[in-house]
Amino acid sequence: MNSQKATPQNLFSLQGQTALVTGASRGLGLEMAKALVDQGARVWLNGRDPLALEAATSLCNRTQAALGGQALALPFDVADETATQRAIAHILQTDQRFDILINNVGQRRRQTLDGLPADALRSMLETNLVSAWTLCREVATPMRAQGGGRIINITSIAGPIARAGDAAYTTAKGGLAAMTRALAAELGPHGINVNAIAPGYFATEANAAMVDDPQTQAWLQQRTSLGRWGQPEEIAGAAVFLASRAASYVTGQTLVVDGGYLAHF
């Protein structure tokens, strides 16, 4: 990490840092990537669709602030261990450092216990949990060598709470939250902070059908303290905070960004 002394002026600056955001071609991943670029980071955007990724990268570079940030496309499948290793090696060969990892890729398949085959569960665990483990393992080596780094895992409010018909996703996200705590303990002595963000209900493309549903809207107005959907850009501040000097003494934590869903009943 940048060793420059923190001041009120640079507390959230990410200038000179290299980051990777997975699942960054749209939705929350794209908003977090944009925010890191705006704060001056050189951000590699990951996704499986090269065309969508190029469009996202262009958007980040068009909206960047004057801090020298840059977005670059890096298409690969995070569930492919060999491809992941090659991607991290490419970043290190290009930038000679690795400062920030945001594990954002997720897969969801709402099914009951009897309705979800074991192979489908394994696929969800590979995407939501094992891929994050692999990425953490690969970036931990250069982070240890340079004396620090930031790992941010995107979990969900479905980690600490549950509902019927969604056990596989809750299992995967709960495991990711537990992994966050475990890696914070293991990597902390090397100056590596490991935290998580647990989003609530956000009005992303993936949730478009629910956003347009009047019953869901009415339910969410009653269920959340703020009485509304989160807008995708509202995840950005949490990501910048945990990636920056402002969170230098924060590790092993899950920052919930849910409009008060978990606090409200």
Side-chain angles (χ1 to χ4, degrees):
M1 299 295 287
N2 194 323
S3 59
Q4 181 184 0
K5 184 178 179 180
T7 68
Q9 291 73 34
N10 69 18
L11 195 59
F12 296 97
S13 171
L14 302 175
Q15 283 183 292
Q17 298 188 36
T18 293
L20 169 65
V21 181
T22 67
S25 61
R26 64 174 190 165
L28 300 186
L30 175 56
E31 294 298 333
M32 290 186 286
K34 285 168 56 180
L36 299 190
V37 171
D38 286 345
Q39 290 300 320
R42 182 174 162 91
V43 184
W44 296 84
L45 278 66
N46 157 261
R48 291 185 297 179
D49 184 342
L51 292 178
L53 206 54
E54 287 293 345
T57 302
S58 296
L59 178 62
C60 288
N61 286 327
R62 284 200 305 270
T63 60
Q64 65 178 310
L67 297 178
Q70 183 183 13
L72 305 99
L74 189 59
F76 69 95
D77 184 352
V78 297
D80 183 332
E81 184 172 1
T82 300
T84 296
Q85 291 171 327
R86 289 173 179 166
I88 300 304
H90 175 73
I91 294 174
L92 290 171
Q93 183 179 23
T94 305
D95 292 348
Q96 287 79 52
R97 63 180 303 109
F98 199 109
D99 300 286
I100 303 161
L101 168 65
I102 299 184
N103 280 313
N104 173 66
V105 165
Q107 181 187 77
R108 192 168 198 165
R109 182 173 171 181
R110 292 180 175 90
Q111 291 285 348
T112 62
L113 176 64
D114 295 331
L116 188 72
D119 285 346
L121 172 61
R122 292 188 186 97
S123 176
M124 287 186 62
L125 291 175
E126 285 287 339
T127 301
N128 293 330
L129 183 57
V130 178
S131 68
W133 174 277
T134 302
L135 278 158
C136 289
R137 185 192 67 205
E138 294 301 311
V139 306
T141 298
M143 285 183 176
R144 280 190 291 253
Q146 68 194 26
R150 299 282 196 273
I151 295 173
I152 303 169
N153 297 317
I154 307 304
T155 59
S156 170
I157 57 172
I161 60 173
R163 66 189 311 170
D166 203 17
Y169 185 76
T170 300
T171 297
K173 290 301 187 179
L176 189 57
M179 189 184 84
T180 298
R181 297 190 297 273
L183 293 185
E186 181 169 334
L187 299 177
H190 303 280
I192 302 170
N193 299 55
V194 187
N195 291 291
I197 299 173
Y201 283 79
F202 276 81
T204 61
E205 299 97 319
N207 290 331
M210 291 195 297
V211 173
D212 293 336
D213 178 44
Q215 289 186 328
T216 302
Q217 178 67 27
W219 170 79
L220 201 61
Q221 286 177 343
Q222 292 184 334
R223 183 62 182 80
T224 60
S225 301
L226 296 182
R228 61 175 177 83
W229 285 88
Q231 295 306 307
E233 61 271 17
E234 291 182 296
I235 201 74
V240 169
F241 167 66
L242 291 176
S244 72
R245 298 178 188 85
S248 59
Y249 201 55
V250 179
T251 196
Q253 303 303 308
T254 296
L255 176 56
V256 178
V257 185
D258 69 348
Y261 185 97
L262 292 184
H264 187 106
F265 69 93

